[in-house]
């Protein structure tokens, strides 16, 4: 349960970051490849979609450990393994980013998210 809560808290912080990006904060060097200081419209929309994805992942994790009950157990079990794979792919993508700020900030964050999602998947 602590891993699911920690995962949810980190995702909430990332959701706030993505909301700031979507609203035009000049933090683009930390996301989406780091090519834009202020994101263009299509990437702002991507940031909004990311918030929805983060919420779904948090709900899945909390369901998996029994804090909420929104999907069948098989869905949360398989879903958390998919989330783990998603974050492992995220490690690779952030590690090869051309943006040093993104690479040095987001790679450790996504590594932590992968570890926490693995712990939730194994629970």
């Amino acid at each position: 349960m602590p891993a699911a809560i920690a995962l949810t808290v980190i995702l909430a912080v990332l959701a706030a970051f993505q909301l700031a990006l979507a609203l035009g904060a000049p933090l683009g060097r930390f996301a989406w490849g780091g090519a834009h200081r202020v994101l263009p419209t299509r990437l702002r929309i991507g940031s909004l979609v990311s918030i929805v994805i983060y919420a779904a992942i948090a709900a899945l994790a909390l369901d998996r450990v029994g804090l909420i009950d929104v999907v069948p157990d098989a869905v949360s079990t398989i879903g958390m393994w998919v989330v783990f794979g998603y974050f492992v792919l995220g490690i690779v993508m952030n590690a090869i980013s051309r943006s040093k700020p993104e690479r040095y900030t987001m790679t450790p964050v996504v590594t932590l998210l992968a570890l926490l999602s693995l712990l939730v998947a194994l629970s």
Side-chain angles (χ1 to χ4, degrees), residues 17 26-37 93-110:
F17 170 68
L27 300 171
R29 67 182 184 270
F30 292 99
W32 300 107
H36 306 280
R37 186 171 163 267
M93 296 307 291
N94 282 291
I96 64 172
S97 174
R98 292 181 186 162
S99 166
K100 284 184 182 181
E102 180 179 26
R103 195 168 52 240
Y104 295 144
T105 304
M106 298 311 288
T107 303
V109 171
V110 179

Side-chain angles (χ1 to χ4, degrees), residues 29-53:
R29 67 182 184 270
F30 292 99
W32 300 107
H36 306 280
R37 186 171 163 267
V38 175
L39 298 182
T41 301
R42 67 181 174 78
L43 292 179
R44 288 181 187 207
I45 293 168
S47 286
L48 293 174
V49 171
S50 293
I51 294 168
V52 174
I53 292 170

